[in-house]
Amino acid sequence: MSHYNNITEVPDSLGKLTHLKYLDLSNTKIERLPDATWKLYNLQTLLLSKCWLLVELPEKIGNLVNLCHLDISGTKLKDMPV
């Protein structure tokens, strides 16, 4: 879904995609990921580069134990959840 400028938010139903391994939201206009993102326990790669409006990540994102690659370059994140 990268480079789709009309993507401004990600629905909470994203958490139902428990078998998802790769998610590329780079170059979109999202401001935050839904709290249900932590339910993506098979997620290995999350690309958020150049999401200029992204200001925070879900608090429970640390529960993504299979996450190996996280790209947050070019975002406005001020701090990272544990």
Side-chain angles (χ1 to χ4, degrees):
M1 293 191 282
S2 69
H3 292 88
Y4 283 101
N5 288 330
N6 57 343
I7 296 177
T8 57
E9 62 182 306
V10 181
D12 286 331
S13 58
L14 175 72
K16 295 180 181 179
L17 303 174
T18 56
H19 296 289
L20 190 67
K21 291 185 178 185
Y22 181 91
L23 181 58
D24 187 356
L25 293 168
S26 19
N27 289 292
T28 59
K29 294 181 179 178
I30 61 170
E31 294 180 20
R32 58 186 45 88
L33 292 172
D35 289 334
T37 303
W38 70 271
K39 295 178 182 178
L40 303 175
Y41 50 84
N42 286 309
L43 193 65
Q44 296 174 2
T45 301
L46 178 57
L47 305 177
L48 301 167
S49 65
K50 298 181 184 172
C51 289
W52 307 110
L53 302 175
L54 186 68
V55 293
E56 67 181 1
L57 291 174
E59 200 168 306
K60 292 184 178 181
I61 200 154
N63 291 353
L64 298 177
V65 294
N66 291 310
L67 190 64
C68 298
H69 306 284
L70 174 63
D71 187 354
I72 54 170
S73 60
T75 65
K76 292 185 179 182
L77 290 173
K78 295 192 178 168
D79 40 273
M80 199 65 172
V82 179

